[in-house]
Amino acid sequence: MGCRWAFLIGLLGAMWLLGSGHGGQQAPETAAQRCFCQVSGYLDDCTCDVETIDRFNNYRLFPRLQKLLESDYFRYYKVNLKRPCPFWNDINQCGRRDCAVKPCQSDEVPDGIKSASYKYSEVANNLIEECEQAERLGAVDESLSEETQKAVLQWTKHDDSSDNFCEADDIQSPDAEYVDLLLNPERYTGYKGPDAWKIWNVIYEENCFKPQTIKRPLNPLASGQGKSEENTFYSWLEGLCVEKRAFYRLISGLHASINVHLSARYLLQETWLEKKWGHNVTEFQQRFDGILTEGEGPRRLKNLYFLYLIELRALSKVVPFFERPDFQLFTGDKVHDAENKMLLLEILHEVKSFPLHFDENSFFAGDKKEANKLKEDFRLHFRNISRIMDCVGCFKCRLWGKLQIQGLGTALKILFSEKLIANMPESGPSYEFHLTRQEIVSLFNAFGRISTSVKELENFRNLLQNIH
């Protein structure tokens, strides 16, 4: 009997030793920790933290924003996908079906959108249509009313304004077509490799204020990079003025957001009957895992949150433009137009209530002459990026690239037009500050993409939680 007890006690002791030995080892990191461990707390150059953005976006803003973007006013976007690339001729067009864009037939687009009557009340719309028709003819006809002539000249001046951050498409071109964004969603198309790398390489290397001697981390078109190059890059970045550093982070955040979309809507399975799209955790890990990307992936995700704050701030600043009683989301359906304007204002007032908005007053401060030159450099670099979008070889990628760049450019225009917005008339056309329908649609859809990315990050956190 004593031997049995001794054996049991010895066995339990051995099990305890084994257990305590195992418990002494650190549990392996999950894939979620490797991707998101650094994506928390306060963001650089901001007073806001990641967790506050997650709660605000995912539970208060995202559902209502998606509903708004499904409305006719926001789902139809006019774009010219046939503009030639202004920088090089050897564009390899993606031949895959998923790269194609299906434009709308003429009868599929609401008449109110096609007629361009979308800005103000019905009376003001008639004036605007007359103005825009005259502007297209290239002259101010003396038979037009004095008010109309004034409007034509003011809008021409506005269109040439130095406050525009994008080179917009000529939507009157025969090559410009309406696209239903809901039927042409942003997702994985198979467009990748050297052609796609070339686009991003030109954006980063030639338009983000970076000298050629500074090597960008994980550049697929560069070879022989190591830890020292990464340290040099971030030392250089931290030494930049806040405006140039913000420019890089906006582009990096947009790049990250696009990669989140491609990983979240990935072609998982294809048969003769259907295609199955969904979350590809392996693709997400390759782009954002801290180990696989040598720490670069989590940094890019934090830049995505920085981009979110910039566009959120722009929406909060432009509320007075949309609050004016004359403004309509005009499609020709009076009931739905009124409902959608109410939803739009609900969303904008929710945005305004966000407690930790980005403070853009640090931008372009100091010496006025130097600040103006810096702002012009900032604007010209961004305009150049908008032109690069015409060099993308995948038409669906080009569509969403042009839309999101125009949306971010519109956000920047808003941020730096505070005085013009404050001086807008309460009714009628606003000559000093005004947004075209193209700018409005791109602004909200671009923010919708960033909002979706933040929501998808929560989904990927959950999916990666039990993967090692």
Side-chain angles (χ1 to χ4, degrees), residues 197-391:
W197 297 340
K198 184 177 181 178
I199 298 295
W200 285 110
N201 196 60
V202 170
I203 290 173
Y204 283 116
E205 297 297 319
E206 300 179 16
N207 294 278
C208 285
F209 303 98
K210 187 181 77 61
Q212 290 185 345
T213 53
I214 301 296
K215 304 302 179 185
R216 181 167 51 91
L218 296 185
N219 181 355
L221 296 180
S223 58
Q225 289 182 298
K227 199 71 179 175
S228 61
E229 283 81 2
E230 179 186 327
N231 293 336
T232 301
F233 175 82
Y234 282 104
S235 296
W236 163 80
L237 187 65
E238 290 306 310
L240 289 178
C241 63
V242 64
E243 295 87 355
K244 292 182 179 180
R245 189 163 63 242
F247 191 100
Y248 169 81
R249 293 176 65 198
L250 288 174
I251 300 303
S252 173
L254 179 60
H255 194 179
S257 179
I258 291 171
N259 282 333
V260 171
H261 304 153
L262 305 187
S263 302
R265 301 192 73 167
Y266 198 92
L267 182 58
L268 301 176
Q269 187 178 351
E270 184 174 11
T271 66
W272 286 104
L273 297 175
E274 64 174 353
K275 293 180 178 181
K276 182 181 179 183
W277 303 86
H279 295 84
N280 186 328
V281 293
T282 302
E283 186 74 18
F284 184 86
Q285 286 176 276
Q286 288 174 348
R287 296 173 187 270
F288 298 112
D289 185 288
I291 294 176
L292 297 177
T293 64
E294 301 175 12
E296 185 65 15
R299 284 193 183 104
R300 293 172 179 174
L301 290 179
K302 290 196 84 168
N303 289 338
L304 188 160
Y305 281 94
F306 179 75
L307 172 62
Y308 182 97
L309 282 180
I310 292 292
E311 295 200 5
L312 188 78
R313 180 58 169 164
L315 290 176
S316 75
K317 301 283 279 189
V318 80
V319 172
F321 177 82
F322 294 106
E323 280 183 325
R324 292 176 306 142
D326 282 349
F327 178 82
Q328 295 182 26
L329 297 176
F330 191 88
T331 68
D333 185 331
K334 289 188 176 181
V335 174
H336 284 107
D337 292 350
E339 290 175 351
N340 286 326
K341 181 173 181 182
M342 285 182 61
L343 178 58
L344 173 73
L345 292 178
E346 285 177 16
I347 290 170
L348 289 174
H349 290 144
E350 188 74 71
V351 165
K352 208 168 181 181
S353 73
F354 183 71
L356 298 170
H357 272 296
F358 180 79
D359 181 8
E360 73 284 0
N361 290 322
S362 60
F363 283 176
F364 308 115
D367 181 79
K368 192 171 183 180
K369 187 176 179 181
E370 289 183 12
N372 287 338
K373 183 182 183 304
L374 182 59
K375 182 179 178 181
E376 180 64 6
D377 288 344
F378 196 99
R379 187 185 68 86
L380 291 176
H381 280 242
F382 200 87
R383 281 179 72 94
N384 212 43
I385 292 174
S386 72
R387 299 174 71 208
I388 293 171
M389 291 300 102
D390 287 316
C391 302

Side-chain angles (χ1 to χ4, degrees), residues 62 65-66 69 261 311 443-453:
F62 176 79
L65 182 59
Q66 294 308 303
L69 297 179
H261 304 153
E311 295 200 5
L443 174 67
F444 282 90
N445 272 285
F447 183 68
R449 295 283 74 209
I450 309 301
S451 173
T452 299
S453 291

Side-chain angles (χ1 to χ4, degrees), residues 14-15 51 63 73 80 82 108 113 122 126 153 155 192 199 211 251 318 329 331 355 362 399 401 412 437 454:
M15 290 175 66
E51 292 76 14
Y73 185 90
N80 183 356
K82 298 176 184 177
E108 294 175 330
I113 290 176
E122 196 166 349
N126 294 333
L153 294 172
W155 272 313
K192 58 183 179 180
I199 298 295
I251 300 303
V318 80
L329 297 176
T331 68
S362 60
L399 163 67
L412 294 173
R437 179 178 177 274
V454 172

Side-chain angles (χ1 to χ4, degrees), residues 429-467:
S430 171
Y431 299 129
E432 295 299 323
F433 177 85
H434 107 120
L435 296 177
T436 66
R437 179 178 177 274
Q438 289 290 103
E439 289 175 313
I440 295 168
V441 172
S442 63
L443 174 67
F444 282 90
N445 272 285
F447 183 68
R449 295 283 74 209
I450 309 301
S451 173
T452 299
S453 291
V454 172
K455 177 65 176 174
E456 289 291 1
L457 290 183
E458 180 181 61
N459 296 332
F460 276 113
R461 276 191 188 94
N462 295 332
L463 291 168
L464 292 168
Q465 200 62 54
N466 297 317
I467 298 176

Side-chain angles (χ1 to χ4, degrees), residues 13-37:
M15 290 175 66
W16 180 84
L17 287 171
L18 286 171
S20 62
H22 177 73
Q25 297 177 3
Q26 189 173 1
E29 275 190 322
T30 65
Q33 289 172 319
R34 290 197 301 274
C35 290
F36 294 105
C37 63

